[in-house]
Amino acid sequence: MIVAAHSAAPAAGTGPEPAAAADQDPRRWLILGVIAAAQLMVVLDLTVMNLALPSAQRALGFSTADRQWVVTAYALSFGGLLLFCGRLGDLVGRKVTFLTGLAGFAAASAVGGAATSFSMLVTARACQGVFGALLAPSALSLLATTFKDPKERAKAFGVFGAVAAAGGGLGLLVGGALTTYLSWRWCMYINTGFAAVAIAGGVLLIGRQQKTPGGRLDVPGVLAVSGGMFCLVYGFANAASHSWHTPSTWGFLVAGVALLTVFATWQSRAAHPLLPPRVVLDRNRGGAYLTVLVFGAATFGLFLFLIYYMQVTLGYSAVRSGVAMLPTVVLAGAGATIGNTKLLPRFGPKPMVVAGMLLNAAAMLWLTRIGAHSGYASALLGPLMVSGTGNGLIFGMVAATGTFGVAPQDAGVASASINTGQQLGGSIGTALLNTIAASASTHYVADHLQGRPTAQLLQAAAIHSYVTVFWWCAGIYVAGAAVCGSLLRRGPLSRPADLPVREPSEPAAAAPGQL
């Protein structure tokens, strides 16, 4: 991870270089608080709105078929624009894109909270996605360029990882509480509070950010990757609500793959590539991006289907199900902090990813024992604790490893690659696991039906579908441990030998072989 504008990152675990130590920002820890507040807002929004959907649907009167667009509109704009917005931050300055993203996200959230129609809500969600795509990579790249000392950087990324790991589960708790005790609209309004704090802090604390000298925007690359991501996210979202066989599913998936293939080919030829091959061809960074994609796909099984099980089968309220997830939230946050400060500098990302994936696989296997009358302490608490620990280990290395060793002018697009992997993984997981669950439930009813389907049969079919999903998630995690673990290098992170050390006055040009 390059975190100084004029030098490459030293090997993990070593002391700061003299130039870096003299150039430490005295306000860096306050800046970390600003970045964490912004990150928490984005991560919360990914889950908090899910719990508000039923109430929003009753208030605005839209159909169940249309309900998916409240989530899909955000995912389409967010996933489609991430790489473009990450590179835009490198070109125009990350402070500008960070503050613009915050202000726009807050305004879109306020409009969504005040929505009087379905179209108004969906439009607001799409705008949230646009400004979220501008904000998320800017926040992570600001972190990567603010902390220069390796030990401090490890702590900073530990905090960032803890927020990312715990934020999703915390969103379930916050969303349940706001929906139950106030209104679904407060699941949108709450973002304005986070944004106000982060904007004030950003204006006062964050200094002027270095731009890429002479950089130009790769317009063909932007069109290809944005179109490809849009098609893939839409295709997977459509598969989750319709069928894999409909033209609106496979047609968009094929178009998405074709456009991303064109994008990858073009990046090796473009004079100013949107995503320079040197960013993704490094084994550790490429492994980090693949890890977050696999992790995003499998984690969907825990957060969505376990919530369904608790609320529909066990009768938990939104608030109670959120509280039930707290062990995952707490252990994920602690695991991310410890992993980044203690484990990553000593052992590197490889064992953390393998251990995290296998712990999550074990948690999924443990959850296959659930039944219609399972108790929380006997059936859920253990798997949630194990999964939280595994999540923390993975989040503890992804942000640091995915931005390690990149030149300063590539920090934004490297950060965006992490978010892109998570977004695409979540879309794949949504479509794949929803399809698997629906198929398992249908086959279970068909195999056990005698006369009219009873409530008991339908409940048993639902539990069978959850168990089937948990088995699949376990398999995905095991495959992730094998594939991602083999891709990552052994040992602690260290500065690539071919990464040049530049003086502040030199242009931020990338070396041809820089990985």
Side-chain angles (χ1 to χ4, degrees), residues 118-318:
F118 171 69
S119 59
M120 185 176 175
L121 177 61
V122 170
T123 302
R125 288 287 289 167
C127 291
Q128 276 187 309
V130 172
F131 289 105
L134 197 63
L135 172 61
S138 299
L140 182 53
S141 56
L142 277 172
L143 184 68
T145 54
T146 297
F147 287 87
K148 301 172 175 62
D149 175 64
K151 292 182 180 179
E152 289 190 350
R153 188 186 311 128
K155 293 178 182 178
F157 271 97
V159 172
F160 188 89
V163 170
L170 188 60
L172 298 173
L173 178 60
V174 173
L178 291 175
T179 303
T180 301
Y181 298 119
L182 292 175
S183 164
W184 67 270
R185 298 182 184 275
W186 280 96
C187 292
M188 302 284 279
Y189 289 146
I190 191 175
N191 292 328
T192 60
F194 284 107
V197 172
I199 289 173
V203 169
L204 295 173
L205 298 172
I206 299 175
R208 184 180 178 183
Q209 296 294 303
Q210 183 185 26
K211 304 176 184 179
T212 301
R216 296 179 182 178
L217 189 62
D218 175 19
V219 176
V222 168
L223 295 176
V225 74
S226 297
M229 285 295 298
F230 179 93
C231 290
L232 283 183
V233 173
Y234 181 85
F236 283 121
N238 198 71
S241 57
H242 293 85
S243 167
W244 292 97
H245 303 293
T246 59
S248 57
T249 297
W250 62 261
F252 273 94
L253 291 176
V254 170
V257 172
L259 284 170
L260 291 183
T261 301
V262 170
F263 171 73
T265 304
W266 170 251
Q267 293 308 282
S268 63
R269 302 176 181 178
H272 300 276
L274 179 67
L275 178 60
R278 61 180 175 268
V279 172
V280 296
L281 292 182
D282 174 78
R283 282 181 56 183
N284 277 340
R285 287 196 297 271
Y289 305 148
L290 182 61
T291 295
V292 77
L293 187 146
V294 173
F295 177 76
T299 303
F300 175 84
L302 174 67
F303 280 105
L304 183 68
F305 288 97
L306 192 55
I307 289 293
Y308 277 148
Y309 170 69
M310 288 191 288
Q311 293 190 10
V312 177
T313 303
L314 300 183
Y316 287 15
S317 66

Side-chain angles (χ1 to χ4, degrees), residues 85-96:
C85 290
R87 176 54 78 190
L88 193 64
D90 294 330
L91 295 177
V92 306
R94 297 174 195 107
K95 181 177 181 177
V96 173

Side-chain angles (χ1 to χ4, degrees), residues 51 168-178 318-326:
L51 286 174
L170 188 60
L172 298 173
L173 178 60
V174 173
L178 291 175
V319 174
R320 188 181 178 187
S321 58
V323 172
M325 299 292 292
L326 278 178

Side-chain angles (χ1 to χ4, degrees), residues 421-467:
Q422 187 176 27
Q423 182 65 35
L424 186 57
S427 299
I428 294 172
T430 300
L432 177 63
L433 299 178
N434 257 333
T435 303
I436 291 170
S439 177
S441 178
T442 300
H443 284 101
Y444 186 92
V445 171
D447 292 341
H448 296 82
L449 183 64
Q450 295 180 349
R452 281 187 159 187
T454 63
Q456 291 79 7
L457 176 60
L458 295 178
Q459 183 183 67
I463 294 173
H464 174 71
S465 71
Y466 304 151
V467 170

Side-chain angles (χ1 to χ4, degrees), residues 3-21:
V3 293
H6 58 275
S7 65
T14 65
E17 294 179 357

Side-chain angles (χ1 to χ4, degrees), residues 29 31 34 40 57 123 135 137 145 153 185 187 218 237 318 324 329 338 378 391 396 398 402 415 443 513 515:
W29 296 109
I31 293 174
V34 171
L40 182 59
Q57 183 178 356
T123 302
L135 172 61
T145 54
R153 188 186 311 128
R185 298 182 184 275
C187 292
D218 175 19
V329 174
I338 295 172
S378 60
N391 292 348
V398 163
S415 303
H443 284 101
L515 294 181

